[in-house]
Amino acid sequence: MSTGTAPSLTENIAPVAAGGHVIAANWLKHTAAFSTSDGTVILARDGDSHRVEAHPDAGLLVAAGDGERLVTGGDDGRVAVTGQDGSTKTLAETKGAWIDSLALSPGGAFAYAAGKRVFSRDHRGSEKTLEVTSTARGLAFAPKGYRLAISHYNGATLWFPNVEGKPENLEWKGSHLDIVWSPDARFVITSMQENALHGWRLQPDKGHMRMSGYPSKTRSMSWSHDGKWLATSGAEAAIVWPFESKEGPMGKAPRECGVRPAKVSRVAFHPNTYVLAVAYEDGCILLIRLVDASEILVRPATPDSGVTALAWDGRGQRLAFGCEDGQAGVLTLPT
Amino acid sequence: MSDKIPVTVLTGYLGAGKTTLLNRILTEEHGKRYAVIVNEFGEIGIDNELVVGADEEVFEMNNGCICCTVRGDLIRILDGLMKRKGKFDAVIVETTGLADPAPVAQTFFMDQDVSDAARLDAVVTVADAKWLSDRLKDAPEAKNQIAFADVIILNKIDLVSEKELEEVEARIRAINPYAKLHRTQNCALPISDVLDRNAFDLDRIIEIEPNFLEDAHHHHDEEMQSVSVKVDGEVDPEKFMPWISNLTQVEGPNILRCKGIVAFPNEPKRFVFQGVHMILDGDVQGDWKPGEKRDSKVVFIGRNLNENAIREGFLSTVA
């Protein structure tokens, strides 16, 4: 149980007024980008902030970043790209559909879904389309190579957009929501409607992994830098699954970090140490060191200000967060 | 009341007038903003409302219960809409003419995120006065929609005689004697008859009286019927709770809707419940008034219900 006497970094936060429900926080080099539900992206750097209308008069539903560019999808059927200089333009457009899933690849490709149709555009601009069996919910590019994982009802699909031939189907009954690859590409994990995670071991045996026991849906997953741990939201603690062994977490108990009387809404592993940022529906944010479970308070519980977005910068010096009521901020770690 | 967003579900067989009703709701001067979830774009004459296209995707829940289905698209869309709270006051979901209302309704009980943010207000079914009787014979979807409804709008009454109208109303009442029924032409009726009904709110289930027609016509639907049983007095919760829970588990696939108000001994409040297929929602609500008769009453609407078994089962729970 966390106590009020934990060391605190609350003085190291620079607040940002995002205005609307923060959908996502991302870093564009040294600029924090907060995407809000009312279509605006707030770019914050060194105490200054700048508002960009990425989806004018529309709702922004999803955002993804690769450190250079921020790509957002909206209920206007548009995919927009915003740079750290505040420039924004339309990257793709579909009529009459919500864009609520997106993915960027380290190699410069991007993918988005509109209903059952998934569009993937490689770094040269060549676009391919795939129709999956039901609405595509989650999209994630493999860590290496141009391969996309798509979650949907009754499983997931692994697709090489630039390779002719049938995509690979990973079957498991039920509605799959978000999807992630492990950093070594051995595992694909989805969160499910039934308050559980499902995983497929791609190597060596195509085994299934069930990770259940959550009191609510998991909507945030984060890998440790070395891929040995997967932190997840959805319980009244961050549930951290061990992935060191070839079999994955099967038969092993997960770690529970930061047990508090509020549900964890977002998790984000530090990019190069075993420190986990854990954010809660009651607005609290903690940093937790995995080795000894020691905790540092970043933000105290704040009424009606549940945390909805959390992201470390590339070097792990700053942590950006955003909340349902439009509050946001950037924590700078003391050096 | 809670600050949950009310959601009205509009159903009705093809051509009954759902879009007419929807346009009427949206064009009326009501000062409210609606988010509308539709299956087909194009026919809605309004562009300042938030209109969302949906593919009706019915998902089975992975819990071994065959009738526990939800609308996956609705969960996804409501999740997106709830991040724009303040932009609209209520949500209207228009289903396709062939849709079963149950998965829509069950979404509000099965999905925690949806039930935290939104509440099902009512299922409103638009029926074509001229063709409904035929559809009840050949279209199981039409029958489901009537059986499921809290509000039934019997539309296009100008196309039939008074006698035909009584005939079709009797057919409706044979399936669902509890819904509010309105006769309309071009779906013209006060919007308050359609919206803000609180039909699924246990607080508002204060009485359940069937609207049987005084008329001598008696129709019996072979397949779909309602069963209501009344006990002049109290029931024993130790017997009643296992009975109702077992009945909805075993007969759940056949029971479309159920409701009840029952009196427990030494309990100053009424026990009120309502359900959709296997999902039951119940609580003690509101005091019995001084001098009020502490009766117990249950109602089931469903397919091929065994009336005698339900009656005997309920009577065996008498305190």
Side-chain angles (χ1 to χ4, degrees):
Chain A
M1 186 76 191
S2 305
T3 63
T5 56
S8 161
L9 288 172
T10 52
E11 300 297 312
N12 297 48
I13 287 179
V16 175
H21 181 118
V22 180
I23 302 283
N26 296 86
W27 285 89
L28 307 174
K29 289 215 175 80
H30 301 292
T31 302
F34 301 93
S35 303
T36 70
S37 63
D38 53 16
T40 309
V41 173
I42 289 88
L43 298 174
R45 184 176 179 176
D46 303 332
D48 286 335
S49 71
H50 176 59
R51 300 174 71 83
V52 181
E53 299 301 323
H55 297 265
D57 301 320
L60 189 157
L61 297 164
V62 62
D66 61 5
E68 298 282 335
R69 53 186 185 157
L70 177 75
V71 177
T72 53
D75 63 12
D76 53 0
R78 284 172 61 245
V79 180
V81 58
T82 302
Q84 56 176 321
D85 58 356
S87 63
T88 187
K89 63 175 186 191
T90 300
L91 205 53
E93 200 159 9
T94 55
K95 282 274 172 277
W98 280 22
I99 309 297
D100 57 4
S101 47
L102 276 180
L104 295 180
S105 87
F110 83 95
Y112 67 99
K116 295 175 187 170
R117 286 169 303 147
V118 181
F119 303 84
S120 190
R121 202 181 286 179
D122 67 17
H123 64 286
R124 292 188 203 90
S126 156
E127 188 171 286
K128 299 284 162 54
T129 307
L130 177 73
E131 185 157 323
V132 289
T133 48
S134 65
T135 297
R137 289 298 302 266
L139 300 175
F141 278 106
K144 285 192 188 115
Y146 185 40
R147 192 178 199 194
L148 185 68
I150 305 153
S151 58
H152 45 73
Y153 186 50
N154 286 343
T157 298
L158 303 182
W159 178 39
F160 287 108
N162 280 348
V163 176
E164 293 286 325
K166 221 169 133 15
E168 186 178 349
N169 286 324
L170 302 176
E171 287 179 20
W172 189 260
K173 261 186 86 142
S175 174
H176 299 261
L177 310 175
D178 305 314
I179 190 163
V180 292
W181 294 81
S182 63
D184 60 6
R186 283 190 299 138
F187 303 100
V188 167
I189 315 289
T190 59
S191 59
M192 296 192 67
Q193 170 72 24
E194 289 85 4
N195 303 345
L197 305 184
H198 193 81
W200 289 270
R201 260 193 310 266
L202 302 182
Q203 300 151 15
D205 60 350
K206 303 272 176 198
H208 289 280
M209 295 174 283
R210 298 259 314 135
M211 290 155 273
S212 56
Y214 292 87
S216 68
K217 287 180 217 162
T218 292
R219 297 311 304 267
S220 176
M221 296 185 266
S222 176
W223 291 95
S224 61
H225 61 285
D226 54 7
K228 288 183 177 170
W229 299 93
L230 176 67
T232 60
S233 70
E236 291 185 340
I239 305 298
V240 188
W241 296 93
F243 275 84
E244 292 161 284
S245 73
K246 277 208 300 277
E247 298 77 38
M250 289 300 86
K252 303 188 187 90
R255 294 267 198 101
E256 294 183 31
C257 295
V259 180
R260 289 186 66 249
K263 275 191 201 116
V264 171
S265 54
R266 305 302 300 176
V267 287
F269 256 117
H270 189 275
N272 46 44
T273 65
Y274 282 144
V275 168
L276 182 65
V278 182
Y280 299 81
E281 285 182 355
D282 69 354
C284 178
I285 303 174
L286 298 175
L287 295 185
I288 301 170
R289 193 158 60 189
L290 214 57
V291 285
D292 59 1
S294 61
E295 299 173 358
I296 300 176
L297 181 69
V298 175
R299 183 180 195 247
T302 308
D304 303 317
S305 188
V307 183
T308 50
L310 202 57
W312 289 99
D313 70 357
R315 286 193 285 181
Q317 292 169 334
R318 283 165 303 178
L319 177 73
F321 67 89
C323 306
E324 59 185 322
D325 62 347
Q327 294 192 50
V330 174
L331 165 76
T332 302
L333 292 183
T335 44
Chain B
M1 269 300 296
S2 69
D3 58 356
K4 291 184 184 182
I5 300 282
V7 182
T8 301
V9 178
L10 279 190
T11 74
Y13 205 69
L14 307 166
K18 281 194 303 288
T19 307
T20 309
L21 177 62
L22 188 56
N23 278 330
R24 194 170 276 280
I25 293 170
L26 297 180
T27 47
E28 191 117 325
E29 284 291 327
H30 41 52
K32 285 199 172 176
R33 294 156 306 166
Y34 295 99
V36 186
I37 302 173
V38 295
N39 284 277
E40 281 134 9
F41 281 108
E43 293 173 77
I44 296 179
I46 301 298
D47 42 41
N48 60 348
E49 308 279 342
L50 202 48
V51 181
V52 187
D55 293 317
E56 290 184 344
E57 292 191 316
V58 176
F59 291 171
E60 275 174 39
M61 291 293 286
N62 230 345
N63 58 4
C65 156
I66 49 155
C67 55
C68 286
T69 50
V70 296
R71 282 272 303 272
D73 58 311
L74 206 55
I75 295 174
R76 185 177 63 92
I77 289 168
L78 288 171
D79 181 49
L81 282 178
M82 291 313 159
K83 292 169 183 159
R84 305 193 76 195
K85 269 189 169 170
K87 298 271 188 269
F88 55 91
D89 306 297
V91 177
I92 300 171
V93 181
E94 184 194 27
T95 68
T96 59
L98 299 176
D100 176 3
V104 187
Q106 289 175 165
T107 302
F108 291 84
F109 300 97
M110 301 290 294
D111 188 274
Q112 190 65 43
D113 298 334
V114 169
S115 68
D116 284 350
R119 64 174 178 84
L120 182 56
D121 186 66
V123 176
V124 177
T125 298
V126 185
D128 183 321
K130 188 165 173 63
W131 295 109
L132 181 70
S133 297
D134 288 351
R135 294 296 82 78
L136 290 178
K137 288 175 204 149
D138 64 16
E141 298 88 354
K143 201 178 272 186
N144 265 342
Q145 292 163 357
I146 293 294
F148 218 93
D150 300 293
V151 177
I152 296 170
I153 296 167
L154 191 55
N155 193 33
K156 307 191 184 181
I157 54 168
D158 49 319
L159 303 181
V160 292
S161 66
E162 180 60 28
K163 189 165 170 296
E164 288 171 301
L165 208 49
E166 282 169 15
E167 173 88 14
V168 70
E169 280 190 11
R171 287 193 186 279
I172 291 172
R173 288 309 184 195
I175 295 168
N176 184 342
Y178 301 96
K180 290 265 182 237
L181 198 150
H182 303 280
R183 295 177 173 192
T184 65
Q185 191 177 331
N186 292 325
C187 289
L189 80 168
I191 279 175
S192 57
D193 286 342
V194 178
L195 302 177
D196 271 329
R197 305 301 309 167
N198 288 292
F200 286 82
D201 186 349
L202 291 175
D203 267 343
R204 298 293 186 98
I205 306 176
I206 44 170
E207 59 175 55
I208 29 180
E209 293 301 330
N211 291 289
F212 289 119
L213 286 180
E214 301 297 319
D215 205 278
H217 287 294
H218 183 74
H219 282 278
H220 178 73
D221 191 281
E222 289 296 323
E223 190 202 8
M224 195 85 80
Q225 58 283 127
S226 68
V227 173
S228 92
V229 192
K230 189 176 162 196
V231 164
D232 288 324
E234 297 164 339
V235 295
D236 177 355
E238 302 285 330
K239 293 178 188 160
F240 175 78
M241 297 308 266
W243 172 74
I244 186 76
S245 129
N246 183 60
L247 179 68
T248 48
Q249 285 306 303
V250 176
E251 288 295 317
N254 291 326
I255 298 170
L256 274 68
R257 299 280 299 264
C258 66
K259 273 182 194 178
I261 301 172
V262 297
F264 292 150
N266 306 316
E267 171 57 67
K269 291 180 190 301
R270 312 144 185 265
F271 179 79
V272 182
F273 72 91
Q274 55 118 349
V276 174
H277 287 305
M278 287 188 183
I279 303 168
L280 262 185
D281 178 24
D283 204 355
V284 285
Q285 293 278 341
D287 285 343
W288 291 96
K289 293 183 188 69
E292 188 180 6
K293 208 153 167 275
R294 292 166 61 98
D295 289 340
S296 300
K297 192 169 183 184
V298 292
V299 173
F300 300 85
I301 295 177
R303 203 174 281 118
N304 305 317
L305 298 179
N306 184 338
E307 181 165 1
N308 283 335
I310 292 175
R311 185 177 302 280
E312 281 163 27
F314 184 51
L315 293 177
S316 74
T317 71
V318 169

